[in-house]
Amino acid sequence: MTQRDVVFPPGRQALYERNRYSPAIKSNGFLFVSGQVGSNEDGSPEPDLEAQVRLAFNNLNAILGAAGCTFDDVIDVTVFIVDPESKFETIWKVLPEFWGNAPHPTLTGVGVTWLYGYQFEIKVIAKLPETTG
C-alpha cells in the first residue's frame, strides 16, 4: 500500500484522529478534501445556518492553505444540503464570499436527510500548485 500524503489544518488534527479520517490527501498533483462542515474547534455544529456555511468554508480554506492552495485551485465541488428546498437561498447567498470569479469549479449538489447535526457540507478536489525543481 502506498503511504498516504495527509494534509492537516492547524489545530484540528485531534478532531480528525478522533473521527478516524484524513482531512485531505495529496495524490498525483491533486488534493482530495474530505467533506467540511461548519464545526467549531470542539467539533460541535454552529447553530446559525449562515454562520455554519461560512465556518465550513473557513474550515475548507484552512485545509487548502495547509496544502499551499486557495479556493481558486478548486476544480470540483460537491455540496450536501439537508432540506435544500428550504435552505438553498440562505446557503447560496454566502457562496460569493468564498467562490471567486468565473470560471467557477464544477458543482454537484446533493439533498440529504442527515449530516450528523449539520445542515451543509462541502467537499472538493483541487489542483496542487506546480513546484519548481
Side-chain angles (χ1 to χ4, degrees):
M1 176 179 187
T2 304
Q3 181 70 26
R4 292 184 178 112
D5 188 0
V6 179
V7 175
F8 285 100
R12 308 266 298 179
Q13 187 164 351
L15 178 64
Y16 294 105
E17 288 176 0
R18 182 176 72 228
N19 292 314
R20 302 180 55 85
Y21 68 96
S22 297
I25 302 284
K26 293 180 185 180
S27 180
N28 294 321
F30 293 96
L31 182 69
F32 298 85
V33 182
S34 290
Q36 296 300 301
V37 293
S39 63
N40 297 304
E41 285 192 18
D42 66 359
S44 65
E46 166 57 48
D48 177 76
L49 179 59
E50 280 189 49
Q52 188 181 119
V53 173
R54 283 186 186 94
L55 190 51
F57 271 96
N58 289 335
N59 291 338
L60 171 62
N61 285 336
I63 293 172
L64 291 170
C69 296
T70 69
F71 196 83
D72 289 338
D73 299 305
V74 171
I75 55 176
D76 184 60
V77 175
T78 304
V79 295
F80 303 91
I81 302 170
V82 174
D83 189 15
E85 188 172 2
S86 71
K87 294 183 175 74
F88 183 83
E89 292 302 323
T90 301
I91 291 168
W92 238 245
K93 74 180 181 181
V94 175
L95 266 62
E97 298 173 26
F98 300 93
W99 213 254
N101 297 318
H104 302 293
T106 62
L107 172 70
T108 301
V110 181
V112 297
T113 59
W114 186 77
L115 285 173
Y116 201 63
Y118 298 91
Q119 303 300 307
F120 174 82
E121 181 173 350
I122 181 170
K123 74 182 284 5
V124 304
I125 300 171
K127 178 78 172 87
L128 290 166
E130 304 269 334
T131 57
T132 57

